[in-house]
């Protein structure tokens, strides 16, 4: 299971929110590049970089931060937040993103998102399936859509998606443990017919609520391909040394 620390950006600074609420913003570091370098120094290879300004503005904003981290570290970055157009995507990839995550666009413009999967390949496009009460949320989690989570994921599996980041919004930033039962439900339900995408092609990335190191082996046992860790690192609930050991052992 891949360890993927998160850096969320507002006004160029490293912040965290609780349940996606911008009013709960807490600044942890004014220099995201230095945070990324600390991750890299502990053997971490991946980074989940979220442009929260972009999510709110509905277009890419903090691409300069993305480019700086991409140029000055070797981290493989997945980038999300406000990616709505082909131009947003072009900027993200040219700024150094290895993958991009689309959430709202995958709900509101299925044709465009499916086109991105076809054009860039399933290894570069991640489905952001973030939900409250198993309903997909959009627009930086400011809106709840009518999309049911499991059929939404199944729809895109049939379109060729492989990587899916799923956040239970009620858990995000709360340090109360991840949604183990939801992730198991997604993995168990992702068995399609032989003529469609196979269940083994689903690479589910857990996100939200990670609070202790002991939760990581449980997520791996369920079958999660990766786990995104944010506030637990910044609040020193999980140390970078522990994550380094987990990576070495696995």
């Amino acid at each position: 299971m891949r360890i993927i620390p998160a850096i969320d950006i507002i006004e160029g600074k490293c912040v965290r929110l609780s349940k996606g609420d911008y009013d709960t913003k807490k600044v942890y570091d004014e220099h995201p590049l230095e945070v990324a370098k600390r991750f890299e120094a502990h053997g971490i290879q991946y980074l989940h970089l979220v442009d929260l300004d972009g999510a709110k503005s509905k277009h890419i904003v903090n691409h300069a931060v993305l480019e700086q981290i991409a140029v000055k570290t070797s981290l493989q970055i997945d980038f999300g937040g406000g990616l709505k157009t082909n131009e947003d995507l072009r900027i993200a990839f040219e700024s150094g993103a290895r993958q991009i995550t689309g959430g709202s666009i995958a709900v509101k413009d299925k044709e465009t998102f499916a086109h991105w999967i076809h054009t860039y390949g399933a290894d570069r496009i991640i489905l952001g399936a973030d939900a409250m009460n198993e309903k997909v949320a959009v627009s930086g989690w400011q809106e709840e859509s009518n999309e049911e989570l499991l059929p939404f994921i199944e729809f895109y599996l049939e379109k060729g998606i492989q990587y899916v980041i799923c956040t239970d919004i009620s858990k995000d930033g709360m340090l109360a443990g991840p949604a183990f039962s939801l992730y198991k439900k997604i993995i168990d339900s992702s068995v399609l017919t032989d003529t469609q995408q196979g269940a083994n092609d689903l690479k589910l990335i857990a996100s939200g609520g990670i609070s202790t190191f002991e939760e990581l082996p449980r997520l791996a046992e369920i079958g999660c391909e990766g786990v995104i860790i944010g506030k637990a690192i910044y609040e020193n609930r999980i140390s970078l040394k522990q994550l380094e050991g987990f990576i070495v052992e696995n």
Side-chain angles (χ1 to χ4, degrees):
M1 185 177 70
R2 292 185 300 134
I3 299 296
I4 313 167
I7 294 179
D8 292 358
I9 303 296
I10 292 180
E11 297 176 349
K13 300 173 183 177
C14 177
V15 308
R16 297 302 293 171
L17 308 180
S18 295
K19 298 184 181 180
D21 183 352
Y22 284 72
D23 291 335
T24 66
K25 178 183 77 174
K26 182 175 180 180
V27 177
Y28 283 97
D29 201 299
E30 297 196 357
H31 305 287
L33 174 60
E34 298 309 311
V35 177
K37 285 181 173 178
R38 288 199 291 273
F39 294 156
E40 184 180 39
H42 283 84
I44 288 164
Q45 300 176 45
Y46 305 96
L47 177 66
H48 179 65
L49 186 63
V50 181
D51 182 358
L52 289 175
D53 292 315
K56 208 168 190 178
S57 303
K58 298 180 170 59
H59 62 84
I60 192 169
V61 174
N62 286 294
H63 51 87
V65 176
L66 165 62
E67 184 170 16
Q68 189 180 43
I69 295 173
V71 168
K72 296 187 176 180
T73 75
S74 62
L75 295 171
Q76 296 184 46
I77 305 167
D78 77 76
F79 182 83
L83 302 177
K84 298 288 184 289
T85 66
N86 293 331
E87 179 66 7
D88 288 330
L89 220 63
R90 181 191 67 79
I91 293 169
F93 282 133
E94 288 186 358
S95 298
R98 175 66 185 82
Q99 296 175 302
I100 67 91
T101 300
S104 300
I105 184 75
V107 174
K108 296 185 173 184
D109 189 349
K110 290 183 169 66
E111 185 176 344
T112 293
F113 192 69
H115 174 70
W116 290 356
I117 299 167
H118 177 74
T119 301
Y120 292 95
D123 61 329
R124 303 206 72 185
I125 306 295
I126 302 172
L127 176 64
D130 303 330
M132 179 76 80
N133 301 319
E134 295 194 29
K135 287 283 187 70
V136 179
V138 296
S139 302
W141 300 350
Q142 304 304 298
E143 302 173 37
E144 186 181 279
S145 73
N146 292 319
E147 294 275 355
E148 296 283 349
L149 179 62
L150 294 180
F152 178 69
I153 293 173
E154 296 286 0
F155 174 83
Y156 279 110
L157 282 172
E158 293 179 26
K159 296 294 182 183
I161 206 75
Q162 293 182 2
Y163 291 94
V164 177
I165 295 174
C166 182
T167 306
D168 182 336
I169 296 168
S170 68
K171 302 278 190 180
D172 187 67
M174 303 310 292
L175 296 172
F180 293 111
S181 59
L182 177 61
Y183 299 138
K184 188 174 189 309
K185 185 175 182 180
I186 292 169
I187 290 168
D188 288 349
S189 70
S190 295
V191 180
L192 304 179
T193 67
D194 292 339
T195 59
Q196 296 173 315
Q197 190 89 346
N200 291 335
D201 291 317
L202 172 64
K203 295 178 171 63
L204 184 64
I205 300 166
S207 173
I210 309 300
S211 59
T212 68
F213 179 77
E214 288 71 28
E215 291 159 354
L216 303 184
R218 286 186 63 189
L219 289 169
E221 187 176 342
I222 288 171
C224 292
E225 187 271 342
V227 57
I228 293 170
I229 311 172
K231 188 175 281 189
I233 294 174
Y234 299 112
E235 296 280 350
N236 298 312
R237 301 288 192 95
I238 299 176
S239 72
L240 293 178
K241 197 71 179 172
Q242 283 178 303
L243 295 178
E244 185 175 5
F246 183 89
I247 292 166
V248 169
E249 290 175 11
N250 292 273

